[in-house]
Amino acid sequence: ARTFQRSDLNNINLYLLYNHASGFFARAEASWYQQDNLLQIGASPDWLELPNDEFWQANFYIGYRFRKNLGDISVGLLNAFDTEYGLNALNPHTELPRERTLSVRLRLRF
């Protein structure tokens, strides 16, 4: 029998950014993901519901921007609430951290 899978991924991203005149900044992000998974077997017009997933992930960053915007350095905590998820691979999505992760970034602009 032929089987068909369908998967719909919904995503909402929210963020709050604070910039100080001295160059320091802070950013908080919250992302909501919700996925519906369906399966159709053979010529049946009915779709069976597979396990779905819905979760929030939060990220926090602090950093400093160099003068004349020549670059910045930041430290971040990704997946701050240690949220586990199980998204179906039918939807292309950026790989999200599965556990708390420390991020350090240095960007230079010339």
Side-chain angles (χ1 to χ4, degrees):
R2 299 178 89 183
T3 61
F4 300 95
Q5 286 189 6
R6 177 180 170 178
S7 186
D8 296 321
L9 180 63
N10 301 299
N11 175 236
I12 295 175
N13 295 311
L14 306 169
Y15 73 92
L16 183 64
L17 178 62
Y18 172 76
N19 285 311
H20 191 271
S22 66
F24 287 99
F25 66 90
R27 180 179 173 119
E29 299 176 346
S31 298
W32 173 75
Y33 297 88
Q34 187 266 337
Q35 187 178 53
D36 294 321
N37 299 307
L38 301 170
L39 175 69
Q40 185 181 36
I41 299 174
S44 171
D46 299 326
W47 288 86
L48 304 173
E49 191 165 319
L50 296 175
N52 300 322
D53 200 3
E54 178 178 356
F55 62 95
W56 283 91
Q57 271 201 352
N59 304 320
F60 301 100
Y61 303 91
I62 59 170
Y64 177 77
R65 283 195 178 81
F66 303 133
R67 280 195 237 173
K68 298 183 182 179
N69 208 18
L70 293 176
D72 61 69
I73 186 166
S74 63
V75 176
L77 180 62
L78 309 179
N79 194 5
F81 302 129
D82 204 19
T83 306
E84 182 59 38
Y85 63 91
L87 293 177
N88 190 327
L90 287 177
N91 293 109
H93 62 276
T94 304
E95 188 65 31
L96 303 169
R98 294 193 175 272
E99 56 190 28
R100 280 186 201 99
T101 305
L102 182 66
S103 166
V104 179
R105 178 173 70 176
L106 172 66
R107 295 188 303 179
L108 301 173
R109 296 176 193 92
F110 297 99

